Amino acid sequence: MLITRYRAGALALAGLLATGFATTASAAAGGGDLPAPTRTAPVTGEATSSTGQVSLVGVRHARHDRYDRVVFDFSGGGTPGYRVEYAPLVGIGTGTQIPLEGPADLRIVFDGADAPKLHNYAATPRYPTLRQIKLGGAFEGRVIAGLGLSDALGFRVLRLTNPPRIAVDVAHQPTQPFGTARWQGGSDADVVRVSGVRFGWHPGYDRYVFDLSTAKFPLIDVAYVRATPTRVFVGFTGMTTQVGSVTGQRPSNVTFKVYENGTVSGFIDTEARKGFRVMLLTNPTRLVIDVKR
């Protein structure tokens, strides 16, 4: 459905843009399963065992509709403390890097645990996202594990009981196709507040994350600019005429113009005209634009 609530200031920019638009699926589409995780920052948790050190007694993996899951089973009355982050897997006693299949490594460190029978565990499920699982050893109450992944995607950590276990979910690759048609979406935020733009290299595409400091999304318009075929226009329109703001860091190829009527225009300069896809993610509110390489 075409959105028609843009004010005159935003509509005046439409002449720069290519015609047509594409729709996108919600990042947390319906279904009985959990939504795909989106967090990529490190996650930590405290130990729950009241008896001290616990033992890692099993490792399982499975593929779900929107994510791959690895489950670490523990005995001893609880779960250990943990830290999960994108970092290389290293031998816990040696510090030597242990190679994992796939271009991204997710490292898991358990504190207050041992692994008497699993310290050399390895599995290679070769799911589209989860490629490999390895343990890097156990030493002095710490166990280190690594997940080899197809990309640095969103993940989450769940602490579960009966039996005590820790699950690590890693999102599948986005399923939206790349295209060059205009995309429109968003919601009804009163004002545009861009708090920064982050850039990341991924296998096959470049990712631009526009962080927004509003709970809702403004109206958003993404399209290639006619006059500059390799420039992607990113338009934001608030529901009031309150002047928007752009703060924080941004890549050198991303620029902005702020207008007095409540609209903000962003521009991504690319090396060539390639397909893009758009995702709206929440908690925190952010716009993700992937540009195919």
Side-chain angles (χ1 to χ4, degrees):
M1 181 177 66
L2 182 64
I3 295 173
T4 58
R5 291 181 287 173
Y6 289 92
R7 294 189 303 277
L11 290 172
L13 294 170
L16 294 171
L17 306 177
T19 59
F21 68 98
T23 60
T24 185
S26 167
D33 218 343
L34 291 173
T38 60
R39 181 187 178 100
T40 56
V43 176
T44 60
E46 299 294 328
T48 64
S49 174
S50 59
T51 60
Q53 186 164 293
V54 299
S55 294
L56 177 65
V57 295
V59 181
R60 297 174 283 134
H61 55 82
R63 187 160 178 81
H64 293 250
D65 285 345
R66 288 177 281 275
Y67 54 87
D68 294 341
R69 171 169 289 184
V70 180
V71 178
F72 298 89
D73 294 307
F74 294 92
S75 66
T79 53
Y82 59 80
R83 181 178 178 86
V84 184
E85 63 185 327
Y86 278 105
L89 174 64
V90 296
I92 200 166
T94 65
T96 302
Q97 184 168 341
I98 299 173
L100 289 167
E101 186 171 306
D105 296 350
L106 188 66
R107 185 171 67 197
I108 305 159
V109 178
F110 296 115
D111 284 312
D114 61 18
K117 296 182 180 180
L118 293 173
H119 57 277
N120 290 322
Y121 174 88
T124 308
R126 292 199 174 100
Y127 301 144
T129 295
L130 176 63
R131 307 299 295 168
Q132 194 170 45
I133 309 163
K134 283 185 181 180
L135 261 65
F139 185 67
E140 294 186 345
R142 301 182 79 200
V143 177
I144 188 168
L147 308 184
L149 306 176
S150 63
D151 200 353
L153 299 159
F155 69 90
R156 66 172 158 247
V157 182
L158 303 174
R159 195 185 345 242
L160 306 171
T161 58
N162 298 320
R165 59 204 189 277
I166 290 175
V168 179
D169 294 343
V170 183
H172 294 171
Q173 287 279 4
T175 57
Q176 298 97 315
F178 290 93
T180 58
R182 183 179 180 182
W183 182 97
Q184 289 182 301
S187 183
D188 54 356
D190 288 338
V191 63
V192 179
R193 293 279 185 260
V194 180
S195 56
V197 182
R198 293 174 285 135
F199 171 81
W201 179 90
H202 293 256
Y205 63 92
D206 296 326
R207 170 161 290 182
Y208 298 86
V209 180
F210 293 75
D211 293 307
L212 306 176
S213 56
T214 53
K216 297 180 179 180
F217 292 96
L219 293 174
I220 298 171
D221 196 344
V222 182
Y224 275 106
V225 176
R226 282 178 175 166
T228 310
T230 61
R231 171 172 287 182
V232 179
F233 166 79
V234 186
F236 302 89
T237 302
M239 290 294 100
T240 71
T241 58
Q242 184 177 351
V243 177
S245 64
V246 179
T247 58
Q249 295 183 339
R250 72 200 69 156
S252 60
N253 66 324
V254 177
T255 57
F256 287 93
K257 290 183 180 179
V258 178
Y259 302 90
E260 295 182 355
N261 63 352
T263 63
V264 173
S265 295
F267 302 94
I268 303 172
D269 288 307
T270 63
E271 293 182 356
R273 187 184 179 95
K274 298 288 182 119
F276 63 83
R277 65 185 171 204
V278 181
M279 291 173 283
L280 303 181
L281 305 178
T282 57
N283 298 319
T285 311
R286 58 209 189 278
L287 162 70
V288 176
I289 300 176
D290 292 339
V291 180
K292 192 173 183 178
R293 186 175 296 109

